[in-house]
Amino acid sequence: MRWYWKAIGPKKIIEFLVLVVFVIFFLGPLLNLAILAFTGNWKYPEAFPHEWSLKWWRFVLQQEDIAKSIGLSFLIATIVTAISILICVPAAYAFARIRFPLSRFFLFSFLLTNAFPKMGLYVSIAVLFYKLGLMNTLAGVVLIHIVNVLMYMTWIPTASFRNVHTAQEESARDVGASPFRVFRSITLPLAMPGILVASIFTFLNSLDEAQGTFLVGIPNFKTMPVIMYSIISDYPAYAGAVFSIILTLPTIILLLAAKRFVSADVLSSGFQFK
Amino acid sequence: MSKQTKMGILGLLLVLPSFLVLFVIVVLPIALSFKESLTNASGGYDLSNYIYLFTNKLMRSNIIFTLEVTIISVLLILAISYALAVYMRFNNGAVVQWIRRLYMIPMFIPGVIATYGLIQLLGNHGWAARILYQFGIESFPRIIFDMKGIIIANLWFNIPFTTMLLGSALSAVPNSVIESAKDVGAGTIQIFFKFILPLTYKTLLVGATFAFMGVIGSFTAPFLLGPNAPQMLGVSMEQVFGVFQQKQLAAALAFFTFLLCSIMGFFYIREMIKDEGVKA
């Protein structure tokens, strides 16, 4: 055995250990949930379940408030994504292409959404919503979801509009295309990957947002993550694990679909200007 | 009207809607919570809410607990992320490929789910305890419903993002710089402190800011797997607001967390603006 370790060398062994710790730490909790979701019964102290089954899936899907929360979550995420595209993409275009007074001030004002600790900001928003009567309303929930996405929904598209070469736009103008036509046929398609990635993040972020909704949306707007808070305390672990998979599924599907657009560089352009 | 004025107005019109939303959901709430936090029970203005924060025994222990958790978490996050990012930048083997493929996954997992997974894995009679039991280890430390659990959750949530930020800064360090330093005989440690650290310290600060604010402003993990007392400020705030309905006190707590982060937040915004100024 010793000769084997010596042959691989200490560097390889350390590398391997790093990978093992990494995988156990980051994927262990997820793997655990995946196993639990297909377990019928798992007695302590067995290392693996002795009975596999799908019965908890049936149980979870039969709960009425759970089914309702899935619909509600998707509705809210769609509204949030549509509104943020509508208000942020035009702003991004302006930041990238138009010279106007105070543009730097406006661009950097979006940093404010990240300059405060989240729960403190949410409680402040809740204090305002309480005065305005927006507690427990759809508008209130949608607004609190927009807090998280406003910055990268503006910054990622700004970066992608800036990356479109003006030469391409100018040559289209030279052959007689109207400014709107140039935007629609040249600028927008070239900036699309960035806008798409930002929109997908917005959708997922809204789908997964728990604490803000918990604060301003209770009791009428119980989205999937909010339901999850009560599932954790009220239901058996198997049911919680099944629901966890249902809640994570949209993320996995959308990210796999958009995989070729999602890169660390695009992601960090939402938080840092390059 | 000149074309320039027209374009200027168009630009402002395009930016205005999103700025208005920003104003309503960030600027206005913060101004209001500041005012509310100074409002006392009889409707006048004084510092009574803040005095309560520091004189009430429970609140004081919450504040100390939050600071402890935050400082330990941030130091661990930065150390591990930086090591991981440097390792990924300067190595290229099968292991690195695997880590690169996997390390962003936690960023996309809903916080509630990850927290739940950690509870199931590390809890009393959890999977980790069961597996250790097979090896004859029957006592398992109390991690969930304890400070350790919150710190572990913070690491889980923050390391991937911080590693990503640092990784993109490190990839901007040119290979030629390092190679020429090696040519003139600089050692690994020298290269690190003379070139790599100075070229990435700004991103390190941005990462520290995000981690610091992320931990102080966290709710889901401490709410689900933290101890009942003392609590993290995020949980305490929610209870004061939602359960005890003391809006002014909740506002004071929120504003107190802003003050804790203000130095870092200010620094973060200044660095980002300065950066853009150089490139614009």
Side-chain angles (χ1 to χ4, degrees), chain A residues 128 150, chain B residues 18-29:
Chain A
L128 175 73
L150 206 55
Chain B
S18 57
F19 184 75
L20 275 180
V21 172
L22 179 78
F23 189 79
V24 172
I25 56 182
V26 180
V27 181
L28 216 55

mmCIF file of all heavy atoms in Angstrom, chain A residues 128 150, chain B residues 18-29:
data_model
loop_
_atom_site.group_PDB
_atom_site.id
_atom_site.type_symbol
_atom_site.label_atom_id
_atom_site.label_comp_id
_atom_site.label_asym_id
_atom_site.label_seq_id
_atom_site.Cartn_x
_atom_site.Cartn_y
_atom_site.Cartn_z
ATOM 1 N N LEU A 128 -42.507 50.684 5.739
ATOM 2 C CA LEU A 128 -43.122 51.572 4.744
ATOM 3 C C LEU A 128 -44.427 50.971 4.217
ATOM 4 O O LEU A 128 -45.456 51.648 4.140
ATOM 5 C CB LEU A 128 -42.145 51.809 3.589
ATOM 6 C CG LEU A 128 -42.693 52.623 2.413
ATOM 7 C CD1 LEU A 128 -42.811 54.091 2.793
ATOM 8 C CD2 LEU A 128 -41.829 52.473 1.175
ATOM 9 N N LEU A 150 -33.020 44.255 -9.158
ATOM 10 C CA LEU A 150 -32.922 45.540 -9.847
ATOM 11 C C LEU A 150 -31.505 45.800 -10.357
ATOM 12 O O LEU A 150 -31.311 46.211 -11.490
ATOM 13 C CB LEU A 150 -33.352 46.645 -8.885
ATOM 14 C CG LEU A 150 -33.896 47.922 -9.505
ATOM 15 C CD1 LEU A 150 -35.038 47.631 -10.441
ATOM 16 C CD2 LEU A 150 -34.350 48.866 -8.402
ATOM 17 N N SER B 18 -37.071 52.770 -13.664
ATOM 18 C CA SER B 18 -36.353 51.884 -12.752
ATOM 19 C C SER B 18 -35.805 52.676 -11.566
ATOM 20 O O SER B 18 -35.756 52.180 -10.445
ATOM 21 C CB SER B 18 -35.234 51.137 -13.472
ATOM 22 O OG SER B 18 -34.343 52.033 -14.063
ATOM 23 N N PHE B 19 -35.443 53.927 -11.811
ATOM 24 C CA PHE B 19 -34.954 54.727 -10.691
ATOM 25 C C PHE B 19 -36.073 55.003 -9.688
ATOM 26 O O PHE B 19 -35.846 54.977 -8.478
ATOM 27 C CB PHE B 19 -34.346 56.045 -11.191
ATOM 28 C CG PHE B 19 -33.754 56.855 -10.077
ATOM 29 C CD1 PHE B 19 -32.544 56.490 -9.510
ATOM 30 C CD2 PHE B 19 -34.420 57.959 -9.566
ATOM 31 C CE1 PHE B 19 -32.006 57.212 -8.454
ATOM 32 C CE2 PHE B 19 -33.890 58.690 -8.519
ATOM 33 C CZ PHE B 19 -32.678 58.312 -7.964
ATOM 34 N N LEU B 20 -37.285 55.239 -10.195
ATOM 35 C CA LEU B 20 -38.412 55.467 -9.291
ATOM 36 C C LEU B 20 -38.662 54.246 -8.421
ATOM 37 O O LEU B 20 -38.899 54.363 -7.220
ATOM 38 C CB LEU B 20 -39.667 55.800 -10.093
ATOM 39 C CG LEU B 20 -39.827 57.264 -10.486
ATOM 40 C CD1 LEU B 20 -41.114 57.464 -11.266
ATOM 41 C CD2 LEU B 20 -39.814 58.147 -9.243
ATOM 42 N N VAL B 21 -38.610 53.060 -9.036
ATOM 43 C CA VAL B 21 -38.789 51.836 -8.261
ATOM 44 C C VAL B 21 -37.704 51.744 -7.190
ATOM 45 O O VAL B 21 -37.976 51.464 -6.023
ATOM 46 C CB VAL B 21 -38.766 50.588 -9.177
ATOM 47 C CG1 VAL B 21 -38.745 49.318 -8.352
ATOM 48 C CG2 VAL B 21 -39.964 50.594 -10.105
ATOM 49 N N LEU B 22 -36.468 52.021 -7.603
ATOM 50 C CA LEU B 22 -35.361 52.011 -6.644
ATOM 51 C C LEU B 22 -35.641 52.967 -5.495
ATOM 52 O O LEU B 22 -35.421 52.649 -4.323
ATOM 53 C CB LEU B 22 -34.066 52.421 -7.358
ATOM 54 C CG LEU B 22 -32.827 52.483 -6.477
ATOM 55 C CD1 LEU B 22 -32.312 51.091 -6.220
ATOM 56 C CD2 LEU B 22 -31.741 53.336 -7.106
ATOM 57 N N PHE B 23 -36.171 54.128 -5.839
ATOM 58 C CA PHE B 23 -36.452 55.140 -4.830
ATOM 59 C C PHE B 23 -37.494 54.625 -3.826
ATOM 60 O O PHE B 23 -37.331 54.765 -2.623
ATOM 61 C CB PHE B 23 -36.950 56.424 -5.514
ATOM 62 C CG PHE B 23 -37.063 57.580 -4.582
ATOM 63 C CD1 PHE B 23 -35.930 58.302 -4.219
ATOM 64 C CD2 PHE B 23 -38.284 57.953 -4.054
ATOM 65 C CE1 PHE B 23 -36.021 59.362 -3.342
ATOM 66 C CE2 PHE B 23 -38.386 59.017 -3.175
ATOM 67 C CZ PHE B 23 -37.251 59.725 -2.824
ATOM 68 N N VAL B 24 -38.546 53.991 -4.364
ATOM 69 C CA VAL B 24 -39.635 53.538 -3.490
ATOM 70 C C VAL B 24 -39.216 52.348 -2.628
ATOM 71 O O VAL B 24 -39.654 52.220 -1.490
ATOM 72 C CB VAL B 24 -40.884 53.177 -4.327
ATOM 73 C CG1 VAL B 24 -41.952 52.517 -3.466
ATOM 74 C CG2 VAL B 24 -41.430 54.422 -4.995
ATOM 75 N N ILE B 25 -38.370 51.449 -3.169
ATOM 76 C CA ILE B 25 -38.063 50.253 -2.388
ATOM 77 C C ILE B 25 -36.727 50.315 -1.650
ATOM 78 O O ILE B 25 -36.423 49.404 -0.894
ATOM 79 C CB ILE B 25 -38.134 48.953 -3.232
ATOM 80 C CG1 ILE B 25 -37.216 49.033 -4.425
ATOM 81 C CG2 ILE B 25 -39.547 48.619 -3.610
ATOM 82 C CD1 ILE B 25 -37.277 47.815 -5.305
ATOM 83 N N VAL B 26 -35.940 51.355 -1.861
ATOM 84 C CA VAL B 26 -34.704 51.439 -1.089
ATOM 85 C C VAL B 26 -34.578 52.773 -0.356
ATOM 86 O O VAL B 26 -34.475 52.800 0.880
ATOM 87 C CB VAL B 26 -33.456 51.203 -1.979
ATOM 88 C CG1 VAL B 26 -32.201 51.298 -1.134
ATOM 89 C CG2 VAL B 26 -33.524 49.847 -2.649
ATOM 90 N N VAL B 27 -34.611 53.870 -1.096
ATOM 91 C CA VAL B 27 -34.334 55.174 -0.475
ATOM 92 C C VAL B 27 -35.417 55.547 0.533
ATOM 93 O O VAL B 27 -35.130 55.856 1.694
ATOM 94 C CB VAL B 27 -34.206 56.264 -1.559
ATOM 95 C CG1 VAL B 27 -33.884 57.600 -0.914
ATOM 96 C CG2 VAL B 27 -33.135 55.882 -2.566
ATOM 97 N N LEU B 28 -36.677 55.466 0.090
ATOM 98 C CA LEU B 28 -37.791 55.844 0.945
ATOM 99 C C LEU B 28 -37.858 55.000 2.231
ATOM 100 O O LEU B 28 -37.958 55.560 3.329
ATOM 101 C CB LEU B 28 -39.097 55.717 0.144
ATOM 102 C CG LEU B 28 -40.180 56.735 0.419
ATOM 103 C CD1 LEU B 28 -39.659 58.148 0.248
ATOM 104 C CD2 LEU B 28 -41.358 56.494 -0.516
ATOM 105 N N PRO B 29 -37.787 53.648 2.117
ATOM 106 C CA PRO B 29 -37.850 52.831 3.328
ATOM 107 C C PRO B 29 -36.749 53.154 4.317
ATOM 108 O O PRO B 29 -36.987 53.190 5.535
ATOM 109 C CB PRO B 29 -37.678 51.400 2.813
ATOM 110 C CG PRO B 29 -38.108 51.440 1.411
ATOM 111 C CD PRO B 29 -37.775 52.806 0.908
#
